[in-house]
Amino acid sequence: MFIAHELRKTNIAEYLLYMWQVEDTIRAFGCSLSQIKHDYVAHFDYTDEQREDELDWFGNLIRMMNEEGCREQGHLQINRVTLQTLAELHAQLLASSQFPFYNTAYYKVLPFIVELRNRGADKGENEIETCMNALYGVMMLRLQKKDISPSTQHAVKEISTFIGMLADYYKKDKEEGLKF
């Protein structure tokens, strides 16, 4: 919860990746709050109040996952809305002549997006979701200490730069408002 709140303020893309990881963590513990309490939260150096806040947060997420039917797979509505907000901002940035560097970054990653979609990515997902799924997939491979090919590393570096730019524009839009 503490990490999520900070990331939401500082980098929306990292926040979303973190929340996807939290969803998977909850699934790994069988959506059991007691198991999360004993085998996960107990390992953090929290005060009693922080531990209770963290457990309340996990409990709410578990409840939402149950209610929204994403115990096994998929993402919470709050995360899907965040992703959709990023996709909408992406479309606004591309449609505006005020953001040429963003357009350049987009066209630089577009071949990677096309390649990912051709490799079997969900054809119904938007381009930002394709990018986020690629970043999440590589993050999971790194956590598992699996090899990542040089071409994948290059693609992820470019996608990461692009998504980082989108996250920066998101933050700027929230703080100051962008002029399209």
Side-chain angles (χ1 to χ4, degrees):
M1 172 186 82
F2 305 107
I3 295 169
H5 283 121
E6 188 59 32
L7 286 174
R8 187 158 182 89
K9 289 186 277 186
T10 59
N11 189 313
I12 197 67
E14 288 180 10
Y15 163 80
L16 197 53
L17 293 171
Y18 177 77
M19 289 303 297
W20 287 0
Q21 187 177 16
V22 167
E23 291 170 341
D24 283 344
T25 299
I26 290 170
R27 290 182 187 109
F29 287 106
C31 296
S32 166
L33 186 58
S34 63
Q35 195 173 357
I36 289 170
K37 177 181 179 179
H38 296 292
D39 297 332
Y40 186 71
V41 175
H43 295 285
F44 295 99
D45 187 27
Y46 289 147
T47 66
D48 289 342
E49 183 179 333
Q50 288 173 321
R51 188 172 294 105
E52 286 306 311
D53 288 346
E54 186 83 350
L55 289 171
D56 285 346
W57 184 68
F58 271 106
N60 286 330
L61 292 174
I62 291 167
R63 180 185 47 76
M64 289 188 293
M65 288 174 75
N66 286 325
E67 289 172 358
E68 296 174 21
C70 55
R71 276 180 69 102
E72 305 295 323
Q73 64 182 19
H75 300 296
L76 288 166
Q77 181 67 22
I78 56 172
N79 296 331
R80 291 194 313 263
V81 167
T82 301
L83 184 62
Q84 184 59 38
T85 301
L86 283 175
E88 289 166 3
L89 177 60
H90 165 69
Q92 289 177 303
L93 292 167
L94 286 180
S96 173
S97 61
Q98 301 298 314
F99 306 95
F101 294 115
Y102 185 81
N103 273 273
T104 300
Y106 167 69
Y107 285 108
K108 193 172 182 180
V109 300
L110 186 56
F112 301 121
I113 295 170
V114 170
E115 184 178 341
L116 287 165
R117 287 187 168 177
N118 287 339
R119 285 187 181 176
D122 181 359
K123 303 288 190 249
E125 70 186 23
N126 63 59
E127 293 170 325
I128 301 305
E129 187 171 3
T130 299
C131 290
M132 295 298 291
N133 280 330
L135 295 175
Y136 187 74
V138 169
M139 184 176 84
M140 291 294 104
L141 290 174
R142 286 184 177 140
L143 287 172
Q144 297 168 20
K145 299 188 184 332
K146 293 191 176 175
D147 289 334
I148 300 163
S149 72
S151 62
T152 299
Q153 288 179 25
H154 173 71
V156 165
K157 182 177 183 263
E158 297 297 332
I159 291 169
S160 181
T161 300
F162 169 67
I163 292 296
M165 187 181 289
L166 178 60
D168 289 344
Y169 279 124
Y170 176 89
K171 184 177 181 190
K172 185 173 182 171
D173 190 41
K174 291 295 175 202
E175 291 174 351
E176 306 167 21
L178 292 175
K179 297 192 181 12
F180 296 98

